[in-house]
Amino acid sequence: MRRLLRRLAFLSLALTACAAAGLWFWPEPARPEVPVPPIHVTLDEGQSWFAAELVQPQDGLTQLPLLTSGRASAGKKDMLIQEWPGFHAEARFRGSSVTVRFQDGLNRWRILLNDGKTGRIDVARPGMSDLHISGLAPAEYRIRVEKISESSMPASFGGILIGPTVQPLPAPRALPRMIEFIGDSDTVGFANTASTRDCTEEEVFSATDTSRSFGPQVASRLGADYRMIARSGIGLLRNYDGAAPLATMTSRYALALPSEPAAMRLPERAADVVVTGIGSNDFAAAFAKDEIWQDDDSLSRDFGTALLSFLRDRVRENPGAVQVLLAFGEYGDRLVRPYRAAEAALRADGVRVVLVTLPKLKRDACFWHPSQEDHRLIADWLATAISSAGT
């Protein structure tokens, strides 16, 4: 034993000396790229080169017919104003160039040509500009534009446009099913591509990719479209740290833009599946002295009443939809118990409902948020639950 201890001590001293000399170190986890580049183009091996640049808004362009998903409001000059996460639009054309119009100094966007097989362009904070894509091989293309960051306030998307030498094609057909995901930062995919919990604000911006969160993963697996009503820090009755009690999901859900209550909401299709995973922020922090709740039992009781009322509203808005209740089990019985009661009540109402209670997650992305591995796990559970519900 003494010989073993001497060897371990020697090894510890040797490693310390190597580290001090710069000869050895523990590998640091990969960090998101900062500052985020304005444009990043990715080509699969063997794909032809094309150009992508941000330019001043151009005159004489024609809007392509769009298939859009995500809650939005109408703005001026064909602008769509959006703030909730996961907004995306698709169009089709035949030619060698296309333009995407932005009025957005806040967000990151991803443009996929032919589902990324022709190329992928990531754009960050484009401002009031056109992303002009040129030099494509003359052919038929499907283009998808999706917001992958979380908005702190409303921003505008100006559509997908073409010049006179490009032929417009009908918009892609809508997928047969729509899944709506309701939640908080975990649903948004807050910093989900990070591999460290300690992050700067810019690293969070770089690492957040809503398209890789569990909701879009589930939709992709099931051949469905998705709509996301989610926001970091939001709760059903109280937001994170008890902040903004009047800006909870209870009062913000119906809004076109969560920070502009007066904005008119554009029509949207009813959902075939509604996944509700709200409540983590309600129970995430200690109570402030001026809050009406001062213990978990009273909050859990009121949360259960509010949850059932909220879910019944979603049932009325989406007749016949499967209601999937997503409870983050790591918050314990105070959160899971109201979800169990809501499941029983909805089933008694004759609603098709399924409860998914998640196990403890690793949460090793920024600020203890779910990582890519966690999101894949959640997607596995949800896809299985939705499939078993017969949708």
Side-chain angles (χ1 to χ4, degrees):
M1 176 61 71
R2 289 180 179 177
R3 181 178 298 176
L4 175 61
L5 291 175
R6 284 197 298 269
R7 288 180 177 178
L8 290 175
F10 174 79
L11 178 60
S12 177
L13 289 171
L15 293 177
T16 301
C18 289
L23 301 176
W24 178 89
F25 58 92
W26 289 109
E28 287 288 335
R31 301 190 74 92
E33 182 179 4
V34 294
V36 183
I39 297 180
H40 181 78
V41 178
T42 303
L43 293 176
D44 288 342
E45 186 177 352
Q47 293 300 318
S48 300
W49 176 90
F50 60 84
E53 59 179 337
L54 290 169
V55 299
Q56 291 295 316
Q58 304 295 297
D59 295 328
L61 300 179
T62 302
Q63 286 272 4
L64 283 172
L66 291 180
L67 172 65
T68 62
S69 293
R71 191 159 288 177
S73 182
K76 297 179 181 179
K77 297 182 179 179
D78 296 319
M79 287 285 179
L80 292 176
I81 308 172
Q82 45 68 40
E83 187 175 1
W84 295 106
F87 176 87
H88 51 282
E90 294 185 70
R92 296 169 58 241
F93 66 95
R94 182 178 291 110
S96 59
S97 64
V98 67
T99 295
V100 182
R101 179 157 292 172
F102 298 103
Q103 191 171 318
D104 182 356
L106 303 170
N107 291 297
R108 293 173 60 222
W109 294 80
R110 177 164 297 139
I111 296 88
L112 299 171
L113 294 167
N114 294 336
D115 297 322
K117 296 174 183 176
T118 299
R120 187 185 89 181
I121 307 146
D122 287 359
V123 180
R125 304 183 180 105
M128 187 180 297
S129 63
D130 286 354
L131 175 71
H132 184 58
I133 303 168
S134 60
L136 297 168
E140 183 176 314
Y141 293 94
R142 178 173 178 144
I143 179 172
R144 177 183 175 94
V145 181
E146 52 190 20
K147 185 178 72 173
I148 62 174
S149 64
E150 182 174 12
S151 298
S152 58
M153 61 184 69
S156 296
F157 166 71
I160 304 172
L161 307 95
I162 55 172
T165 63
V166 178
Q167 179 185 352
L169 296 174
R173 292 182 180 180
L175 293 170
R177 291 185 294 175
M178 170 65 72
I179 307 177
E180 180 171 290
F181 295 90
I182 303 169
D184 48 37
S185 57
D186 293 345
T187 301
V188 171
F190 180 98
N192 54 335
T193 68
S195 57
T196 179
R197 293 182 176 129
D198 181 21
C199 303
T200 66
E201 183 176 348
E202 185 71 2
E203 286 172 336
V204 170
F205 178 70
S206 174
T208 299
D209 187 344
T210 298
S211 71
R212 296 172 65 182
S213 63
F214 64 79
Q217 288 189 54
V218 170
S220 177
R221 294 186 196 184
L222 300 180
D225 200 356
Y226 63 88
R227 176 171 61 240
M228 304 183 75
I229 311 298
R231 197 164 178 84
S232 290
I234 202 167
L236 192 63
L237 291 179
R238 64 192 293 260
N239 294 339
Y240 183 74
D241 279 346
L246 298 180
T248 59
M249 186 62 79
T250 304
S251 62
R252 287 295 182 263
Y253 171 85
L255 301 181
L257 308 171
S259 61
E260 290 191 7
M264 295 295 293
R265 192 170 113 189
L266 292 175
E268 56 190 31
R269 66 189 280 195
D272 302 286
V273 180
V274 179
V275 179
T276 302
I278 194 76
S280 299
N281 289 308
D282 294 79
F283 297 97
F287 300 102
K289 291 183 179 180
D290 58 348
E291 288 190 80
I292 62 173
W293 305 282
Q294 290 301 312
D295 61 77
D296 281 346
D297 287 341
S298 61
L299 175 60
S300 181
R301 181 182 61 251
D302 290 351
F303 178 85
T305 302
L307 178 64
L308 181 57
S309 176
F310 181 84
L311 293 170
R312 281 175 168 157
D313 286 343
R314 307 292 78 77
V315 171
R316 283 189 289 270
E317 293 169 355
N318 306 278
V322 174
Q323 300 291 326
V324 180
L325 314 187
L326 181 63
F328 286 78
E330 56 206 304
Y331 287 90
D333 197 50
R334 57 186 179 169
L335 175 64
V336 175
R337 185 174 62 248
Y339 270 93
R340 289 193 187 119
E343 178 197 24
L346 290 182
R347 184 164 285 118
D349 291 344
V351 176
R352 286 193 297 167
V353 58
V354 58
L355 171 63
V356 174
T357 302
L358 296 173
K360 184 176 179 60
L361 304 173
K362 290 185 176 180
R363 291 188 175 274
D364 46 11
C366 297
F367 307 118
W368 295 83
H369 278 82
S371 63
Q372 278 293 277
E373 182 180 348
D374 290 330
H375 279 273
R376 283 192 292 270
L377 172 67
I378 300 170
D380 288 342
W381 282 61
L382 285 176
T384 299
I386 293 170
S387 297
S388 66
T391 61

